[in-house]
């Protein structure tokens, strides 16, 4: 029953956006330009240096492409959580609690924005182009990695999104803090972690697992050693990290909802 409700809601969201194809196309193009602008920044930097953190231009762009697809998919699915502070502040969140449906699922399906696929499309195009010049050692496992990495990365970023947005239950105006981890992840995951300082590298590898979105999988795809000297197994650990990230995000979300006492309290 619940599945049919969600499918009906999502279908209505899609139809409402596709009803105005010109507007939808322009919004999607705007998202694509944002992603392309971030790529331009990387290309300008690579035009001035031969390597970035020990990685050559095609290798850096490969990380960017996989990261961009992952972020775009996560933004499409859970980006609506950015409005959570408003739902809490206005009391609309109380309405969700009264419905016999999971609250998180209601929020996720509240405002699906297909325009966010613009980021995904740019990342996919860049991925196809860069694979022609990157030193990829082709094999069945490598193809599986290239196909699965964006989906696994989206799960990791989506989990970070859920966990950090949950802070809004304690800090009503906590959107900026959450954005530092969600939209800030476009910076931390689109570059080799080797360009960051030691403390930030440890944060991205072992606390907020941004390095598992693209950096470690790309090491496996390229078949090259990790400049940081970290264990070889980490390059294949992204699926396990995604499972752990989902578990942590779900625990944080449940604790946050239990903490919530209503807008009038």
């Amino acid at each position: 029953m619940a599945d049919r409700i969600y499918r009906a809601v999502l279908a209505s969201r899609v139809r409402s956006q596709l009803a105005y194809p010109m507007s939808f196309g322009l919004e999607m193009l705007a998202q694509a330009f944002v992603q392309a602008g971030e790529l331009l920044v990387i290309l300008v930097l690579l035009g001035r240096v031969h390597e970035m953190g020990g990685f050559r231009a095609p290798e850096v762009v490969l990380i960017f492409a996989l990261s961009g697809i992952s972020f775009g998919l996560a933004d499409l699915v859970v980006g609506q959580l950015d409005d959570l502070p408003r739902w809490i502040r206005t009391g609309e969140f109380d309405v969700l609690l009264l419905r016999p449906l999971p609250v998180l699922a209601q929020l996720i399906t509240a405002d699906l924005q297909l325009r966010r696929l613009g980021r995904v499309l740019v990342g996919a195009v860049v991925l196809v182009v860069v694979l022609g010049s990157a030193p990829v050692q082709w094999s069945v496992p490598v193809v599986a990695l290239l196909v699965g990495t964006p989906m696994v990365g989206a799960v990791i970023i989506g989990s970070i999104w859920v966990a950090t947005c949950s802070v809004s239950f304690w800090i009503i105006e906590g959107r900026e803090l959450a954005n530092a981890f969600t939209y800030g992840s476009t910076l931390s995951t689109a570059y080799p972690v080797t360009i960051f300082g030691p403390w930030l590298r440890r944060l991205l590898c072992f606390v907020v697992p941004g390095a598992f979105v693209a950096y470690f999988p790309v090491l496996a795809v390229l078949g090259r050693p990790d400049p940081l000297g970290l264990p070889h197994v980490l390059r294949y650990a992204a699926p396990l990290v995604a499972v752990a990230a989902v578990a942590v995000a779900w625990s944080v979300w449940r604790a946050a909802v239990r903490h919530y006492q209503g807008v009038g309290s």
Side-chain angles (χ1 to χ4, degrees):
M1 179 64 179
D3 291 342
R4 290 199 298 271
I5 293 175
Y6 293 134
R7 285 197 296 268
V9 170
L10 290 174
S12 67
R13 306 293 186 203
V14 172
R15 287 195 300 271
S16 65
Q17 293 174 63
L18 296 182
Y20 302 94
M22 180 62 72
S23 175
F24 169 71
L26 290 175
E27 290 180 346
M28 193 168 176
L29 187 62
Q31 289 284 311
F33 274 130
V34 170
Q35 188 72 1
E38 295 173 1
L39 174 61
L40 181 61
V41 171
I42 292 178
L43 294 178
V44 169
L45 291 174
L46 290 172
R48 295 180 174 273
V49 295
H50 296 293
E51 293 185 349
M52 185 179 292
F55 290 79
R56 293 182 297 174
E59 299 169 334
V60 175
V61 175
L62 180 58
I63 294 175
F64 169 84
L66 291 173
S67 169
I69 299 173
S70 298
F71 181 85
L73 292 174
D75 192 18
L76 175 68
V77 176
V78 298
Q80 298 78 265
L81 291 179
D82 287 344
D83 286 333
L84 183 58
R86 177 182 62 80
W87 286 77
I88 295 174
R89 186 174 58 253
T90 61
E92 293 177 80
F93 189 80
D94 294 30
V95 178
L96 302 182
L97 294 173
L98 296 175
R99 296 172 182 168
L101 295 170
V103 177
L104 184 57
Q106 293 184 65
L107 284 169
I108 288 175
T109 57
D111 187 26
L112 181 70
Q113 294 291 333
L114 292 179
R115 58 184 171 81
R116 293 166 178 160
L117 285 173
R119 285 181 173 268
V120 178
L121 292 177
V122 171
V125 171
V126 173
L127 178 62
V128 171
V129 172
V130 76
L131 285 176
S133 56
V136 177
Q137 301 180 5
W138 290 103
S139 65
V140 173
V142 166
V143 173
L145 269 172
L146 288 172
V147 173
T149 291
M151 292 179 283
V152 173
V155 172
I156 294 174
I157 294 175
S159 299
I160 295 172
W161 215 305
V162 172
T164 54
C165 284
S166 298
V167 74
S168 299
F169 288 98
W170 287 279
I171 306 173
I172 298 302
E173 296 298 336
R175 180 170 180 172
E176 289 76 14
L177 178 61
N179 286 351
F181 290 92
T182 55
Y183 290 98
S185 66
T186 59
L187 171 65
S188 62
T189 62
Y191 293 84
V193 297
T194 48
I195 70 171
F196 302 115
W199 71 270
L200 187 53
R201 288 201 300 264
R202 288 192 288 269
L203 178 70
L204 294 174
C205 292
F206 305 114
V207 181
V208 182
F212 291 90
V213 172
Y215 174 75
F216 285 124
V218 165
L219 290 179
V221 169
L222 298 175
R224 59 167 295 173
D226 185 359
L228 300 177
L230 295 173
H232 182 83
V233 70
L234 290 180
R235 63 189 63 197
Y236 301 105
L240 293 178
V241 172
V243 172
V246 169
V248 171
W250 179 242
S251 298
V252 172
W253 173 260
R254 291 186 64 184
V257 172
R258 284 198 300 268
H259 169 81
Y260 180 72
Q261 297 179 351
V263 71
S265 58

